[in-house]
Amino acid sequence: MMLPFLCTGSLAQTTLGWRGVVYDVGLKFTPESCSVDTFDAALVEYDMGVIAHTLHANAVRIEGEDIERLKMATEIAHAAGLTVFFNPWKMNVGAGETVAYMTEAAKAAEELRSKGIDLVFVAGCEYSLFNEGVLPGNNIAERVSSLMPPSDIQEREAYVEKAKASIAKLNQILSAVCRAVRSHFKGRVTYSSGTWETVNWEMFDLIGVDYYRDVQTDEDYVAGIRRYQEQGKPVIVMEVGCCAYEGAAKRGGAGYAILQGTDAEGAPVYEGGVTPTRSEREQADYVRTQISLLQDSGIQGLFIYVFSFPISPYREQGFDPDMTSYSLVKTYPSDDARSRRMPPWAPKEAFHAVAEAFRRFDKE
């Protein structure tokens, strides 16, 4: 049986049938904070227009925890002519709560689909890191640490056995999530996997992977996508992006980790005690290069991470959280008058690089 994607006219014949950005409507990386405090429908409408017409995207991956926010943003994106990858995401909970949450999200997504809105359901993202029950650890940082293989050779065997058990547990949870979603949502379903996750893709219609590049050569980076393509389903790069400081390109998806927190006075603590140098050029060069490499790799979709990230605002003096975020636009802190304008952001060099790259597809 052919997948619906493979039967949809020009998309079946065009590399990067879906091209867009990730759009965050509010995630709780910790229980105490939300990446987008206030949902502003007018701003979302403005942003979706920019994504469709200035960035020349034809799709957007909308991620967030609040289902009502996801619904509203999806309707706005649809009105702007964008296909939506609908990505409900509740972090730091176990399998039972995840399945219950995804069930409610699937009902909402089916209501939208029944209205004629073109959307793909994203049944989770990097579950092993952001949720409980697969990797050891009480928080994201501890679970990241558990991925590091031990240096002691004698401990490797135990590490490998634990990794196998984690893979089995992940797929058990994803299977339960997928069954719950499909019992209510009748459209296409995918998952946004980390490259360390071995997913049973038989349960999904599309293969999705967050495919950042760090120190790989061009050849190795492109070759790495082939293990997903060998499974015979459309492959979507669900995330790729870079922070905006010198050296960020070689860190790829771990670029944010150079900022290790703040001290008692609120000053940033950087890895090695050295403050990085802001470089929007490095971020722009990275996304330009990755789009160029991936557009000819045979994948069917690509999303740049992330449009905006207001929890990490730009400051011209002192601590600049924006340079360790992946956002294509820089937002401003609440004490800056620019935060009260429409839009409350300014494009970074990477924004223009994405627009230039995506615009070429309009001419093909």
Side-chain angles (χ1 to χ4, degrees):
M1 179 178 178
M2 293 186 68
L3 295 171
F5 176 88
L6 299 179
C7 305
T8 52
S10 61
L11 282 181
Q13 304 168 15
T14 304
T15 302
L16 290 191
W18 289 306
R19 54 193 181 275
V21 297
V22 178
Y23 191 87
D24 181 17
V25 296
L27 292 171
K28 294 183 179 179
F29 292 93
T30 66
E32 299 79 24
S33 65
C34 184
S35 56
V36 180
D37 283 332
T38 303
F39 184 88
D40 184 340
L43 176 59
V44 174
E45 182 176 7
Y46 185 96
D47 291 348
M48 293 302 172
V50 168
I51 290 168
H53 304 298
T54 306
L55 286 181
H56 302 273
N58 64 5
V60 60
R61 173 185 164 193
I62 303 176
E63 61 180 27
E65 180 173 330
D66 187 278
I67 294 173
E68 289 302 313
R69 288 188 182 190
L70 288 167
K71 287 172 60 179
M72 288 187 283
T74 294
E75 291 179 324
I76 293 168
H78 173 71
L82 297 165
T83 295
V84 174
F85 278 61
F86 185 89
N87 188 178
W89 194 352
K90 189 176 182 67
M91 297 180 177
N92 298 306
V93 296
E97 191 170 345
T98 298
V99 170
Y101 168 74
M102 286 294 186
T103 298
E104 295 306 308
K107 293 176 182 177
E110 181 61 17
E111 289 179 11
L112 295 168
R113 195 190 69 84
S114 67
K115 295 178 182 179
I117 295 178
D118 184 19
L119 74 157
V120 175
F121 194 98
V122 183
C125 176
E126 299 182 10
Y127 186 95
S128 61
L129 279 191
F130 290 100
N131 289 85
E132 301 168 358
V134 176
L135 294 173
N138 297 316
N139 54 51
I140 295 169
E142 291 180 3
R143 292 190 283 269
V144 169
S145 297
S146 74
L147 287 172
M148 300 298 293
S151 56
D152 189 329
I153 296 178
Q154 294 182 344
E155 296 178 3
R156 291 287 180 94
E157 185 175 345
Y159 173 83
V160 170
E161 291 304 312
K162 288 180 181 178
K164 290 178 181 178
S166 294
I167 291 169
K169 186 62 176 178
L170 172 64
N171 282 296
Q172 179 184 346
I173 294 171
L174 292 181
S175 179
V177 168
C178 205
R179 287 195 303 271
V181 169
R182 289 193 186 278
S183 66
H184 298 283
F185 179 72
K186 306 309 176 185
R188 294 161 292 190
V189 181
T190 189
Y191 170 71
S192 190
S193 67
T195 52
W196 62 90
E197 294 180 329
T198 302
V199 174
N200 175 9
W201 290 108
E202 290 183 5
M203 66 182 99
F204 297 104
D205 301 306
L206 311 169
I207 295 173
V209 56
D210 299 343
Y211 197 58
Y212 292 85
R213 179 189 181 188
D214 41 50
V215 296
Q216 300 116 306
T217 64
D218 291 357
E219 294 77 12
D220 287 344
Y221 180 69
V222 174
I225 207 74
R226 291 177 190 148
R227 68 185 176 101
Y228 300 97
Q229 295 169 317
E230 289 170 354
Q231 301 187 55
K233 292 186 177 184
V235 175
I236 315 297
V237 170
M238 301 291 282
E239 288 182 19
V240 64
C242 183
C243 298
Y245 62 86
E246 291 180 3
K250 291 184 178 180
R251 290 174 172 262
Y256 70 93
I258 196 172
L259 175 61
Q260 299 182 327
T262 54
D263 62 19
E265 285 72 41
V269 177
Y270 293 105
E271 183 181 292
V274 178
T275 301
T277 300
R278 183 182 179 87
S279 176
E280 292 190 17
R281 175 66 57 84
E282 178 137 352
Q283 182 188 29
D285 288 345
Y286 179 100
V287 297
R288 186 182 293 113
T289 299
Q290 275 27 272
I291 292 172
S292 177
L293 291 173
L294 290 168
Q295 70 182 30
D296 296 323
S297 69
I299 63 171
Q300 278 73 41
L302 168 67
F303 293 91
I304 303 299
Y305 182 79
V306 56
F307 183 78
S308 64
F309 203 62
I311 198 173
S312 296
Y314 167 69
R315 291 187 176 92
E316 295 170 356
Q317 302 294 327
F319 179 26
D320 175 18
D322 175 76
M323 71 173 169
T324 51
S325 85
Y326 294 76
S327 62
L328 298 178
V329 302
K330 52 191 175 190
T331 54
Y332 301 98
S334 58
D335 59 358
D336 189 316
R338 290 172 290 186
S339 71
R340 296 180 288 279
R341 297 175 182 173
M342 181 59 79
W345 51 257
K348 290 152 75 171
E349 289 185 34
F351 176 99
H352 300 295
V354 172
E356 178 186 359
F358 284 177
R359 182 170 55 242
R360 288 197 292 269
F361 289 95
D362 290 342
K363 298 177 181 179
E364 292 179 356

